Amino acid sequence: MIENAPCGYISLLPDGRIGHVNRTFLGWSGHATGQMVGKRLSDFLTIAGRIYYETHIAPLLRKQAAFEEVAIDAVKADGQPLPLIANVAERRDRDGKPLSIRLALIKATDRRRYEQELLGARELAKAAEKAAEEKLQREQEASELREQFIAVLGHDLRNPLASISAGARLLDRTVQSEKERQIIAMMQTTVTRMAGLIDNVLDLARGRLRGGIGLDRDANQLLEPALGGVVDELRLASPGRVIETEFQLDRPVNCDPARLAQMLSNLVGNALMHGNSSKPVIVHANTREGRFELWVSNSGQPIPAVAMGRLFEPFFRGNAHASRQGLGLGLYISSQIAKAHGGRLTVSSTSEETRFTFEMPLA
């Protein structure tokens, strides 16, 4: 049973020489019995295995008389390494003197290959993770550079645009024909549109670079005049369209009035663009139960379900006609203004009504 056991078996004499080797180990190693018996076990170990045996296994064995599952490499007759897992026990007499050492050996070639493959896979995973982190860092640096470029470009565009606006106002004083008046009016409309686009781009850059849109809160300033002013401007800009207001603001709101006015302008402009031109746009604002609520509604075709989840993403413009599209930043910036106030901008859309609603705490 010992000779043909499924594990290798080696018995050492008290002086460390090999006393017996079973057939299983001889078959694994390719050595003959006469080549091994009488010699030291270390003679059949690799250099690393020999060092490990002399510095670790032998002292440990003297100390505790046994140990289990120790990895060690032997050398086969052809010089190739033979990975092994050893269980070792020392038999002693009543006085504690060693009588023999018995080694039960399991061939660990497949296990060692698996361990090496596992280590290799871990190294590959670490390398891939490091490459991904480096790529992410490069993308973040490139993104920050783009945002800085956008911010500088938007800022620098304001000066020539202001010059164009001032020139148009001067020319408007000396017009001599209706055709000239129409051209100047078109120039002024274009300047206003360009100024709005630049403001949106700058807000996008500020939000991305600084982690959100900055606010200048004022709890003492009345909010209704700011909201009413936005509605009046849009009524003048959209003759023939009806914008109804419902303001119930009986207490102050700790907010940035200019930013909320900007939000309202975006929402109402969006309603005028996409809503039914024969139906009114409704603007409602109230303060109650410790919260401020502002909503804008319009009639018309409902927003497609596929677009609902992306409305507040930057540069998303849905299926608007090209001539009516901007940069697709209005709703994104409005959502960022809401977030900066500690509130939330939501949307609901049915065949009867599309409504954008903003809510935030009063204080």
Side-chain angles (χ1 to χ4, degrees):
M1 184 176 66
I2 293 177
E3 291 298 322
N4 298 300
C7 65
Y9 176 82
I10 297 177
S11 175
L12 303 181
L13 300 174
D15 60 4
R17 291 179 294 110
I18 297 174
H20 181 78
V21 183
N22 75 342
R23 292 176 185 174
T24 301
F25 185 82
L26 293 174
W28 290 348
S29 66
H31 294 295
T33 303
Q35 293 175 320
M36 297 190 68
V37 172
K39 295 183 179 179
R40 295 188 176 278
L41 176 64
S42 59
D43 295 338
F44 299 93
L45 300 179
T46 63
I47 293 176
R50 191 178 304 165
I51 294 173
Y52 185 68
Y53 180 83
E54 298 293 345
T55 61
H56 182 78
I57 296 179
L60 184 64
L61 190 61
R62 286 193 295 269
K63 181 179 181 181
Q64 62 185 40
F67 56 83
E68 298 178 350
E69 296 189 358
V70 174
I72 192 169
D73 289 345
V75 179
K76 297 194 291 186
D78 60 4
Q80 295 299 313
L82 175 61
L84 299 167
I85 300 295
N87 293 312
V88 185
E90 186 178 62
R91 188 164 65 92
R92 299 176 179 179
D93 62 16
R94 294 180 179 180
D95 298 327
K97 294 180 179 181
L99 297 175
S100 65
I101 299 173
R102 293 169 292 180
L103 293 88
L105 304 164
I106 301 172
K107 189 161 60 172
T109 305
D110 293 338
R111 173 171 172 174
R112 195 69 55 83
R113 183 185 301 114
Y114 169 76
E115 291 173 349
Q116 292 173 348
E117 291 174 352
L118 182 60
L119 289 174
R122 287 179 178 174
E123 292 299 323
L124 289 175
K126 289 180 180 179
E129 183 179 359
K130 183 178 179 181
E133 290 176 354
E134 291 175 351
K135 182 179 179 181
L136 178 60
Q137 183 176 358
R138 290 195 298 270
E139 290 177 351
Q140 289 174 339
E141 291 173 352
S143 177
E144 184 173 349
L145 182 60
R146 286 195 298 269
E147 303 297 348
Q148 290 173 345
F149 172 77
I150 291 172
V152 172
L153 178 63
H155 183 271
D156 289 349
L157 284 175
R158 280 184 164 181
N159 291 333
L161 190 63
S163 299
I164 295 172
S165 180
R169 287 196 300 270
L170 289 174
L171 290 174
D172 190 44
R173 299 174 184 174
T174 59
V175 294
Q176 298 181 356
S177 68
E178 183 61 26
K179 182 65 174 178
E180 292 175 347
R181 189 178 302 279
Q182 291 176 356
I183 293 174
I184 292 173
M186 182 180 64
M187 290 175 60
Q188 291 175 330
T189 300
T190 302
V191 166
T192 301
R193 175 172 169 77
M194 289 179 64
L197 292 175
I198 291 172
D199 287 341
N200 283 342
V201 168
L202 287 174
D203 281 339
L204 172 68
R206 292 190 192 103
R208 293 291 185 90
L209 289 173
R210 300 175 186 173
I213 291 178
L215 300 180
D216 183 14
R217 288 179 179 266
D218 187 349
N220 299 317
Q221 184 176 342
L222 295 178
L223 185 56
E224 185 170 339
L227 301 181
V230 170
V231 174
D232 291 340
E233 290 176 2
L234 291 172
R235 282 171 176 160
L236 291 174
S238 304
R241 297 297 300 274
V242 178
I243 305 175
E244 299 178 355
T245 59
E246 303 170 351
F247 293 151
Q248 302 170 10
L249 306 175
D250 58 358
R251 66 195 72 181
V253 180
N254 184 17
C255 66
D256 185 333
R259 286 297 189 182
L260 291 192
Q262 180 184 3
M263 176 196 290
L264 180 60
S265 178
N266 287 336
L267 296 180
V268 175
N270 193 65
L272 291 171
M273 179 182 297
H274 299 286
N276 188 336
S277 59
S278 64
K279 300 291 184 178
V281 172
I282 301 175
V283 178
H284 176 94
N286 68 73
T287 52
R288 61 184 178 186
E289 298 179 355
R291 301 188 67 79
F292 168 72
E293 181 185 56
L294 170 69
W295 55 259
V296 176
S297 70
N298 63 271
S299 301
Q301 292 294 323
I303 300 172
V306 68
M308 287 288 284
R310 300 189 57 197
L311 284 179
F312 300 118
E313 295 180 5
F315 306 115
F316 180 73
R317 297 178 291 186
N319 58 354
H321 298 294
S323 61
R324 300 165 65 186
Q325 289 181 347
L327 291 176
L329 293 175
L331 291 178
Y332 167 74
I333 290 172
S334 295
S335 69
Q336 293 301 300
I337 293 173
K339 183 178 179 181
H341 280 87
R344 186 184 179 195
L345 181 63
T346 59
V347 59
S348 61
S349 186
T350 66
S351 57
E352 289 78 26
E353 176 192 62
T354 294
R355 178 182 294 192
F356 286 85
T357 304
F358 166 62
E359 282 190 283
M360 62 166 283
L362 285 177

